[in-house]
Amino acid sequence: MTRHYVAIATYTAKPDTADQVAQLLPWLAQASRQEPGNISYSIARDLERPHVFTIVEIYDDADAFTAHRESAHFASIAKMQIIPLLESRVVVGYEGDGVIG
């Protein structure tokens, strides 16, 4: 068993920007998966509310998640491109304990 940090983010896009957000999120995920300390990064789009996205990120620890949020790709993709397209963004952190994989 290993301890890890889990972040679950809910991004609610403005209805007219949902497809644009859907196109940008895979770029953010791809770069984030390459970070030291990242265990996994997945994106899901709500089937009934297609402007709502859930992102589940797992890191070795909270410091690795902090490094993610301070990375150049997070600044250029998330902060500069995705976040301005959102109505809201909620990120909740959890401590995980269990087998991953």
Side-chain angles (χ1 to χ4, degrees):
M1 290 226 217
T2 60
R3 287 192 150 329
H4 50 275
Y5 183 86
V6 179
I8 300 178
T10 302
Y11 284 12
T12 303
K14 298 171 188 169
D16 61 332
T17 66
D19 288 338
Q20 191 175 356
V21 171
Q23 291 175 356
L24 291 166
L25 282 171
W27 292 100
L28 180 60
Q30 180 181 6
S32 299
R33 289 181 188 123
Q34 304 306 312
E35 296 171 9
N38 179 270
I39 297 169
S40 69
Y41 192 108
S42 63
I43 303 160
R45 190 172 188 176
D46 191 306
L47 295 174
E48 294 182 14
R49 299 172 302 150
H51 64 290
V52 177
F53 301 85
T54 299
I55 303 164
V56 179
E57 307 169 54
I58 304 175
Y59 293 89
D60 288 337
D61 52 36
D63 290 340
F65 179 68
T66 298
H68 159 71
R69 294 185 79 167
E70 295 172 353
S71 69
H73 64 267
F74 187 82
S76 66
I77 300 169
K79 288 182 182 177
M80 295 175 69
Q81 296 180 64
I82 296 172
I83 292 172
L85 302 173
L86 302 179
E87 285 182 354
S88 67
R89 176 175 72 120
V90 177
V91 181
V92 180
Y94 300 89
E95 182 177 280
D97 190 8
V99 177
I100 299 173

